[in-house]
Amino acid sequence: MKCNEIEFLLSPYLDNELPQEETLLIGTHLNNCDHCNKLLAELKLDLQNLNTTLEPFEHDLNQVIDRFLFKKSYYPQEKSISYPWFIHLLMGATCGILLTITTFVFVFPNKTEKQIEDLNQKIVQQVNSYDSLKQEYDNLATSSSRKTQFIAVLTEEYDKKIIELTQKIDHQIGLYSKLQTEYDLLAVHVADLKQGGIGRINLLIGNMEVYKQNMDKWETAPIGTIITKNTKIRTTAGCKAEIELSNSNTVRMNELTEIVLNNNNEFTIESGEVWTKVSNNSGLGQHTTIPVPNNIYTGHGIITVTGTEINIEVTKEWTTLAVIEGKASMANTNGKSKDLGKGKACRMNNETVDIPVYLSTIEKGTKWMLDIMMAKGRDNPEIRKQILKWLSMMGETKVEFLAEEQIKSYGTACVIPIAQYIKSEDCLNKPAAREKAIKILSDIGDWYAVEAFILLLADESSHLRTLAAKGLERVTGTNLNYTIEFWEKGTDTKPALDKWRSWWDKNKQGKISEDLDIQIEKVNKKFK
């Protein structure tokens, strides 16, 4: 038992009014507790004082009872002041009651109330201390939350700055690389011009031969051979070559091809297959804007190009032109002509010029050049650019010539070609095909479509933005807290676009492969 329980049982303990079990427990407690023994001693003293005080009144009370009951007189016979019996009875009872009340009401309760008061004060102190600690904790939590938010904002701004800085550095590196290439090329051209050259053999696979005006036979030409005006050039079986001209034009020759370089703005194809990229300048530098026509002659007529990438195949029967970039015109010796745009092919002979048609396959006019690109190294950016162009052309073909449901039946094999097509400039000029492609991609696109989706979020069309946002949320499983309605409205979307670009830069690793071989293998599972 505890002291606070013992304290209220001491009085009945003294009067032997408690059960035997409680009496034993209290006795055991008193043997070990000085505090409760002290209270017991005080209680005994108070009771003793009370008995001493009440003894005279008890004597008078007995006398009154004797007189009243037994008619006896205990008072002396001498004269004295006498009070009626009931006065003595009243006085004795009153004093006894007052003393009892004083002892039990004011002595012991005062001690209990003091303890309760002390306990209340301690409780108040603890509550105040708790409130103070809680307030301090809340202040620290608020401060910590603000610091966390501030750090998050700083981190996001830091990431944006890093991305912007990286983009600027990449841009500067690209400019430097481009200027360095131009400088090196100009240095070569200057050296060639000093020797009367209009170009030189830049790349060679196999054996190539040249026949100059001052020669009477063909001789093997190694890489670096300077080509002068009116030089005949031919490739042997299995040979492929690239010639850089002084006006930045490029001529590539397939095997068993023979040409005559009249000057750096025109050449004649005797037979075989030639790919040429014609710059949009006069040879005065890469940054001039003077359009200079370039003429290519065959036994069937003339082809005129400016700022164009084309492929020409010449046989005894036909001259076939395929326009890969830009536009060109062809006219036969009979005066008939046709104009061709990008992605178109046409053939002519001395009698007729066919109606231009779309290139039937992506390999047409470009497949043989892959050997030349690979000879420049697997990391050659032209290889990546060309493969992405082929994928884009494949996507364009599927979108324009197949029904939507038929394309979807191929599944994710269509995603890469269609995504490349959507990102191409050609797609911008064909609104109906573009919308069809985006709708398909929104429904079946995978991680390879994410970059196209993010690009489309900046589109002027709210409908296309909505399709892109739906596809993006479906593939990634998040909307970064930007709803479909937000993109449909299209107000102040730059922060959202930056957030999506930053998210993709952080998360694309492991989601897609940058290796084009893997991408092509993914496509080839369905398309051959």
Side-chain angles (χ1 to χ4, degrees), residues 279-517:
S279 63
N280 192 22
N281 63 66
S282 61
L284 301 176
Q286 290 277 43
H287 305 290
T288 60
T289 56
I290 304 172
V292 176
N294 283 253
N295 297 322
I296 302 165
Y297 299 94
T298 74
H300 305 113
I302 181 174
I303 297 170
T304 303
V305 295
T306 302
T308 304
E309 183 179 334
I310 61 174
N311 191 84
I312 304 170
E313 184 177 6
V314 178
T315 64
K316 291 181 179 180
E317 294 78 17
W318 296 97
T319 293
T320 304
L321 168 66
V323 180
I324 302 166
E325 292 287 346
K327 55 186 178 180
S329 63
M330 61 191 311
N332 67 1
T333 54
N334 201 23
K336 296 179 180 179
S337 63
K338 294 289 181 182
D339 295 326
L340 283 74
K342 178 181 177 180
K344 293 290 187 70
C346 187
R347 65 178 187 172
M348 68 178 178
N349 57 25
N350 298 110
E351 301 296 328
T352 184
V353 177
D354 286 350
I355 298 174
V357 296
Y358 281 102
L359 294 175
S360 57
T361 65
I362 62 173
E363 293 87 359
K364 179 66 177 178
T366 55
K367 183 177 180 181
W368 64 272
M369 283 201 309
L370 189 58
D371 290 338
I372 293 179
M373 295 180 194
M374 293 299 292
K376 291 186 173 184
R378 188 172 182 79
D379 295 331
N380 174 22
E382 186 180 7
I383 295 178
R384 181 177 183 85
K385 180 180 177 182
Q386 190 64 47
I387 291 175
L388 292 177
K389 185 186 296 183
W390 289 342
L391 289 170
S392 175
M393 292 174 66
M394 177 185 284
E396 181 180 11
T397 302
K398 302 305 177 187
V399 170
E400 292 193 3
F401 295 103
L402 297 179
E404 183 176 327
E405 294 304 319
Q406 186 177 359
I407 296 174
K408 289 181 180 180
S409 69
Y410 288 110
T412 57
C414 285
V415 172
I416 294 175
I418 293 177
Q420 289 300 327
Y421 172 55
I422 288 173
K423 291 187 288 185
S424 70
E425 293 182 5
D426 294 339
C427 190
L428 293 173
N429 300 321
K430 300 176 180 179
R434 187 166 184 256
E435 181 176 351
K436 178 182 176 182
I438 295 170
K439 188 174 185 302
I440 293 171
L441 211 60
S442 180
D443 291 337
I444 68 169
D446 57 12
W447 288 102
Y448 285 95
V450 170
E451 186 175 333
F453 285 144
I454 295 175
L455 183 68
L456 290 166
L457 291 177
D459 198 87
E460 295 180 356
S461 169
S462 62
H463 176 57
L464 298 186
R465 288 197 305 270
T466 300
L467 288 175
K470 288 180 179 178
L472 195 58
E473 185 171 350
R474 180 184 59 79
V475 174
T476 63
T478 181
N479 60 12
L480 298 186
N481 297 323
Y482 295 105
T483 63
I484 301 297
E485 291 73 21
F486 169 82
W487 294 109
E488 184 177 14
K489 187 177 180 182
T491 303
D492 192 24
T493 59
K494 187 178 184 304
L497 284 168
D498 291 340
K499 192 172 181 179
W500 264 116
R501 293 186 186 109
S502 177
W503 182 92
W504 182 233
D505 286 339
K506 294 178 181 178
N507 291 276
K508 66 181 177 181
Q509 187 174 5
K511 306 295 185 184
I512 64 171
S513 173
E514 298 289 345
D515 190 334
L516 288 178
D517 287 343

Side-chain angles (χ1 to χ4, degrees), residues 141-154:
T142 302
S143 176
S144 177
S145 177
R146 289 175 179 172
K147 288 180 180 178
T148 302
Q149 293 174 357
F150 181 67
I151 291 172
V153 171
L154 284 180

Side-chain angles (χ1 to χ4, degrees), residues 205-218:
I205 302 172
N207 294 321
M208 186 177 190
E209 298 177 335
V210 296
Y211 188 96
K212 296 183 179 179
Q213 285 182 324
N214 60 347
M215 294 182 180
D216 57 359
K217 63 178 182 178
W218 292 93

Side-chain angles (χ1 to χ4, degrees), residues 156-257:
E156 186 174 352
E157 291 296 323
Y158 173 79
D159 291 341
K160 288 181 181 178
K161 294 295 183 184
I162 289 296
I163 292 173
E164 291 176 3
L165 184 60
T166 302
Q167 291 173 345
K168 288 180 180 180
I169 292 174
D170 290 342
H171 179 68
Q172 293 297 326
I173 291 175
L175 285 178
Y176 172 80
S177 177
K178 185 177 180 181
L179 289 173
Q180 184 65 43
T181 301
E182 283 190 37
Y183 174 81
D184 293 341
L185 186 60
L186 286 172
V188 171
H189 292 335
V190 168
D192 291 347
L193 289 171
K194 288 180 179 179
Q195 300 181 50
I198 58 172
R200 67 167 55 201
I201 300 174
N202 186 51
L203 185 143
L204 186 60
I205 302 172
N207 294 321
M208 186 177 190
E209 298 177 335
V210 296
Y211 188 96
K212 296 183 179 179
Q213 285 182 324
N214 60 347
M215 294 182 180
D216 57 359
K217 63 178 182 178
W218 292 93
E219 289 190 356
T220 301
I223 293 177
T225 298
I226 297 174
I227 307 299
T228 57
K229 291 182 179 181
N230 301 318
T231 299
K232 289 184 179 182
I233 309 169
R234 71 183 182 187
T235 55
T236 58
C239 175
K240 298 176 180 65
E242 179 181 272
I243 300 171
E244 286 287 341
L245 301 179
S246 59
N247 61 352
S248 300
N249 290 353
T250 303
V251 177
R252 289 174 179 168
M253 302 170 61
N254 199 359
E255 63 177 348
L256 302 176
T257 298

Side-chain angles (χ1 to χ4, degrees), residues 13-245:
Y13 172 76
L14 289 175
D15 294 334
N16 294 321
E17 296 175 353
L18 296 175
Q20 184 179 1
E21 184 180 353
E22 289 188 358
T23 301
L24 292 174
L25 289 174
I26 292 173
T28 302
H29 181 85
L30 290 172
N31 291 334
N32 300 298
C33 182
D34 294 337
H35 173 71
C36 290
N37 274 311
K38 184 178 179 182
L39 290 178
L40 181 63
E42 291 177 355
L43 180 59
K44 288 180 179 180
L45 181 61
D46 289 338
L47 290 175
Q48 184 179 353
N49 292 335
L50 178 61
N51 291 331
T52 302
T53 304
L54 290 177
E55 281 180 2
F57 297 102
E58 183 179 0
H59 176 74
D60 291 340
L61 182 60
N62 290 333
Q63 288 183 347
V64 170
I65 292 172
D66 288 341
R67 285 184 62 192
F68 181 74
L69 295 176
F70 305 107
K71 304 298 183 179
K72 294 181 180 179
S73 176
Y74 293 92
Y75 295 99
Q77 298 300 319
E78 69 268 10
K79 292 182 180 180
S80 62
I81 299 174
S82 121
Y83 297 96
W85 66 269
F86 60 84
I87 293 298
H88 291 283
L89 179 62
L90 181 61
M91 290 175 63
T94 301
C95 289
I97 292 171
L98 287 174
L99 188 56
T100 302
I101 291 173
T102 300
T103 302
F104 289 97
V105 175
F106 292 99
V107 176
F108 294 107
N110 281 345
K111 293 182 180 180
T112 303
E113 289 177 0
K114 187 175 185 309
Q115 290 176 352
I116 292 174
E117 184 179 354
D118 291 343
L119 183 60
N120 284 337
Q121 289 178 353
K122 290 181 179 179
I123 292 173
V124 170
Q125 290 175 356
Q126 292 295 328
V127 170
N128 291 338
S129 176
Y130 169 78
D131 290 340
S132 176
L133 289 173
K134 186 176 184 303
Q135 183 64 41
E136 185 176 352
Y137 171 80
D138 291 341
N139 292 338
L140 288 173
T142 302
S143 176
S144 177
S145 177
R146 289 175 179 172
K147 288 180 180 178
T148 302
Q149 293 174 357
F150 181 67
I151 291 172
V153 171
L154 284 180
T155 301
E156 186 174 352
E157 291 296 323
Y158 173 79
D159 291 341
K160 288 181 181 178
K161 294 295 183 184
I162 289 296
I163 292 173
E164 291 176 3
L165 184 60
T166 302
Q167 291 173 345
K168 288 180 180 180
I169 292 174
D170 290 342
H171 179 68
Q172 293 297 326
I173 291 175
L175 285 178
Y176 172 80
S177 177
K178 185 177 180 181
L179 289 173
Q180 184 65 43
T181 301
E182 283 190 37
Y183 174 81
D184 293 341
L185 186 60
L186 286 172
V188 171
H189 292 335
V190 168
D192 291 347
L193 289 171
K194 288 180 179 179
Q195 300 181 50
I198 58 172
R200 67 167 55 201
I201 300 174
N202 186 51
L203 185 143
L204 186 60
I205 302 172
N207 294 321
M208 186 177 190
E209 298 177 335
V210 296
Y211 188 96
K212 296 183 179 179
Q213 285 182 324
N214 60 347
M215 294 182 180
D216 57 359
K217 63 178 182 178
W218 292 93
E219 289 190 356
T220 301
I223 293 177
T225 298
I226 297 174
I227 307 299
T228 57
K229 291 182 179 181
N230 301 318
T231 299
K232 289 184 179 182
I233 309 169
R234 71 183 182 187
T235 55
T236 58
C239 175
K240 298 176 180 65
E242 179 181 272
I243 300 171
E244 286 287 341
L245 301 179

